[in-house]
Amino acid sequence: VGDSRVCLFRDGVLVQLNREHIYRRELELRAVNGEGTLEEAASHPRASGLTSYLGMGQIRGVDQPDQPVRVQPGDRFLLMSDGVYNALSASELGSALELSAPEAAAAMDAAIKAHDWPGQDNYTAVVIQC
């Protein structure tokens, strides 16, 4: 729910397990169905607005996998806010996730601070190591 991501890091590959509940996704679906373009969806002034989130009352959407994820030894799950995935590349996230869970979280924190992006959003990352 919301704009946070849940990802699985397995064998050096980071896979997103959910989708963000933001207006851009609705606009992209409309574009695929011939109502507008993907460029318009990406540049829409309200594209990043939340469409489903905790605290809104009746939640519009909750992602749930069709099949359970089979956890394997060495898997890492990353739960992260948009302040993390907008600040770090997939490569930076993957490099951090090669470390133990506590070290990975510390590496992401250090990388975000090192970028020193103007307007950096707050950020939260939880790493679960299996």
Side-chain angles (χ1 to χ4, degrees):
V1 175
D3 58 355
S4 293
R5 291 182 181 175
V6 178
C7 297
L8 168 63
F9 185 72
R10 177 183 288 162
D11 298 327
V13 178
L14 187 65
V15 177
Q16 186 173 337
L17 300 177
N18 71 324
R19 62 180 171 245
E20 302 87 39
H21 297 123
I22 56 175
Y23 190 50
R24 178 181 308 111
R25 300 292 173 243
E26 292 181 17
L27 295 172
E28 289 169 343
L29 181 58
R30 290 179 191 171
V32 168
N33 290 315
E35 303 172 27
T37 67
L38 292 174
E39 292 78 21
E40 290 169 342
S43 64
H44 192 282
R46 294 187 333 216
S48 62
L50 296 173
T51 57
S52 184
Y53 56 92
L54 296 177
M56 71 180 287
Q58 183 69 28
I59 297 174
R60 289 182 54 201
V62 176
D63 279 1
Q64 187 173 330
D66 294 331
Q67 298 293 321
V69 174
R70 294 193 183 273
V71 178
Q72 299 178 6
D75 283 352
R76 287 179 176 72
F77 290 89
L78 173 60
L79 292 69
M80 63 181 154
S81 68
D82 60 338
V84 176
Y85 66 76
N86 285 331
L88 302 179
S89 68
S91 174
E92 288 171 308
L93 291 169
S95 293
L97 289 167
E98 292 288 349
L99 306 169
S100 70
E103 293 170 326
M108 285 182 250
D109 179 52
I112 290 169
K113 289 177 179 174
H115 281 300
D116 194 28
W117 299 118
Q120 169 68 46
D121 195 1
N122 58 41
Y123 58 94
T124 301
V126 176
V127 181
I128 301 169
Q129 183 174 337
C130 305

